[in-house]
Amino acid sequence: MAVKLWTVHFMRICVANLLLFISLYVLFPVLSVEMADRLRVPAAQTGVIFLFFTLGMFLIGPFHAYLVDAYKRKYVCMFAAALMVVATIGYAFVTNFTELILLSTVQGLAFGIGTTAGITLAIDITNSTLRSAGNVSFSWTARLGMLLGIILGVWLYQSHSFQNLLTVSVITGAVGILMLSGVYVPFRAPIVTKLYSFDRFLLLRGWVPAINLILITFVPGLLIPMVHPFLNDFVLGNMGIPVPFFIGTALGYIASLFFARLFFFKEKTLRLVIIGIGLEMVAMSLLNTDLSIGISSVLLGLGLGLTMPEFLMIFVKLSHHCQRGTANTTHLLASEVGISLGIATACYMELDTDKMLHTGQMVASIALLFFVLVTYPYYIKKKVR
């Protein structure tokens, strides 16, 4: 019975996490384009808001440990998700660039609190013997939510109004809050902790893989915003139905679950990450050819699906006792920094698709070399688990 209850509550928090990411990422492909049109400024300018979103996550980061220890973690997570929903509604009323920057920063603050509290909750309700698997599952739902949100955002923007897109984002976020409200969290006595610390924020021992992960996630970030519409012009067969690029990425990401199980031998992490980044390089190279965009999108998803879970385990194995939450948050922050930098760069290069694709190929190549020459040797030397 206890196992069944744990499974139910863990599934609830995973679904809530999935919905939280869908609610946010449904905005990411279209926000720079829509705001540029509304404010009559170049998309290169509105793309900067994603950097302010990331800034918001870092501004609140040092206070993560205090907030989740001084207050009930479930309510902290629910409040942060509610603040994200309110910020989403605010995009309907933006009238100038300053308001847009402030709104994106607030949303970054809320997202930073919500995801950290969610990670802590997931660890709290997971049996200690299953926490590694639980960490991977929880993170996996976040990335799946990211991909589903991007697909939904592109599709809604192509066929419906921006107001409808905001409505979907708000409803998804609200349902996520309802799912959180049903999660049972065992009682834990309040802990007196410092107001400002790196606990549950940054794993300082993980700075090398963090740099590597930023390089890896920078590449898909380049492909998210709709300032390069050719990615979503792929047509399904003879039906004339346009297919968003990230549908193939999501399929590849799901397929990676089965491919990863084929690797049981020694040095699994080394081989999976090399293959994953290699697939990312191939995907970017194929976008510069006349081959189907669909092939590139599937290969990109497969590469990310092989790479991201392994990097999470690298962070966890570099962490000391009671630093599992910090390792998870560092993994999340590094990936969000890379994605945000990629989106901002793509917006800056809105009229130069060739340059954008060349940049992606170059960064993916650097990421692979960095992993083989720097990250993996560092990981083998420093891991403690």
Side-chain angles (χ1 to χ4, degrees):
M1 181 64 71
V3 174
K4 285 186 177 180
L5 285 175
W6 168 80
T7 303
V8 168
H9 291 294
F10 185 76
M11 286 181 64
R12 283 178 180 171
I13 198 165
C14 282
V15 172
N17 194 43
L18 176 80
L19 294 172
L20 178 68
F21 273 79
I22 291 175
S23 177
L24 176 69
Y25 271 86
V26 76
L27 303 171
F28 274 27
V30 306
L31 206 52
S32 57
V33 177
E34 173 66 23
M35 292 298 125
D37 183 60
R38 182 186 301 183
L39 302 179
R40 292 181 172 82
V41 296
Q45 184 174 341
T46 54
V48 175
I49 63 173
F50 294 98
L51 302 182
F52 282 93
F53 172 85
T54 306
L55 176 64
M57 293 182 68
F58 275 88
L59 288 176
I60 197 65
F63 306 99
H64 285 167
Y66 174 79
L67 290 170
V68 298
D69 284 337
Y71 303 98
K72 291 185 176 181
R73 294 164 183 182
K74 184 170 82 171
Y75 297 128
V76 171
C77 192
M78 291 174 64
F79 173 78
L83 185 58
M84 276 186 60
V85 170
V86 171
T88 299
I89 296 172
Y91 286 118
F93 305 100
V94 168
T95 58
N96 59 65
F97 192 63
T98 301
E99 292 176 358
L100 183 60
I101 288 176
L102 291 174
L103 204 56
S104 60
T105 305
V106 169
Q107 196 165 41
L109 288 167
F111 184 68
I113 299 171
T115 50
T116 302
I119 289 168
T120 305
L121 284 175
I123 292 173
D124 284 348
I125 65 176
T126 304
N127 188 292
S128 59
T129 60
L130 298 172
R131 280 180 178 165
S132 291
N135 286 337
V136 173
S137 299
F138 188 75
S139 176
W140 195 88
T141 60
R143 294 304 148 206
L144 182 61
M146 177 191 81
L147 293 171
L148 293 177
I150 294 169
I151 294 166
L152 189 59
V154 171
W155 178 76
L156 286 171
Y157 198 68
Q158 286 177 331
S159 53
H160 297 81
S161 69
F162 182 67
Q163 256 59 38
N164 289 337
L165 185 147
L166 290 180
T167 301
V168 170
S169 176
V170 169
I171 291 173
T172 306
V175 175
I177 295 170
L178 288 176
M179 290 297 296
L180 277 171
S181 68
V183 175
Y184 169 73
V185 184
F187 173 76
R188 291 180 182 271
I191 302 172
V192 178
T193 186
K194 293 188 292 185
L195 178 63
Y196 182 99
S197 73
F198 284 114
D199 187 29
R200 295 192 181 92
F201 172 40
L202 285 178
L203 182 68
L204 297 182
R205 288 170 57 85
W207 69 273
V208 171
I211 293 173
N212 209 158
L213 190 55
I214 288 171
L215 293 171
I216 292 167
T217 55
F218 174 88
V219 177
L222 285 171
L223 307 176
I224 290 175
M226 292 185 69
V227 290
H228 299 282
F230 83 97
L231 291 171
N232 301 295
D233 288 343
F234 173 65
V235 176
L236 184 63
N238 297 319
M239 300 172 65
I241 301 173
V243 179
F245 176 83
F246 277 86
I247 284 183
T249 307
L251 293 175
Y253 189 72
I254 294 170
S256 71
L257 282 174
F258 304 99
F259 282 99
R261 293 181 182 274
L262 300 175
F263 292 80
F264 295 104
F265 40 74
K266 195 176 180 181
E267 306 296 346
K268 173 187 173 184
T269 295
L270 176 64
R271 300 189 186 203
L272 279 179
V273 173
I274 289 176
I275 292 171
I277 302 176
L279 288 172
E280 188 178 66
M281 292 170 58
V282 172
M284 292 302 293
S285 298
L286 289 179
L287 284 174
N288 254 337
T289 68
D290 295 329
L291 293 176
S292 172
I293 288 177
I295 296 174
S296 298
S297 65
V298 172
L299 291 178
L300 178 64
L302 189 58
L304 290 173
L306 295 176
T307 303
M308 297 296 284
E310 292 304 314
F311 262 86
L312 176 58
M313 294 312 299
I314 286 174
F315 283 110
V316 170
K317 290 180 180 180
L318 284 172
S319 65
H320 290 285
H321 182 62
C322 295
Q323 287 188 310
R324 196 182 292 267
T326 309
N328 275 258
T329 305
T330 306
H331 177 267
L332 172 71
L333 281 171
S335 60
E336 293 298 327
V337 168
I339 289 169
S340 296
L341 286 173
I343 296 175
T345 302
C347 291
Y348 179 75
M349 299 178 178
E350 61 175 313
L351 299 178
D352 197 337
T353 299
D354 290 338
K355 188 175 181 180
M356 183 267 288
L357 294 176
H358 178 71
T359 299
Q361 293 172 40
M362 182 175 64
V363 172
S365 301
I366 293 171
L368 180 58
L369 288 173
F370 193 86
F371 178 76
V372 173
L373 299 177
V374 182
T375 301
Y376 192 72
Y378 176 85
Y379 160 67
I380 294 299
K381 181 179 179 181
K382 297 287 187 179
K383 67 177 181 176
V384 294
R385 295 178 189 266

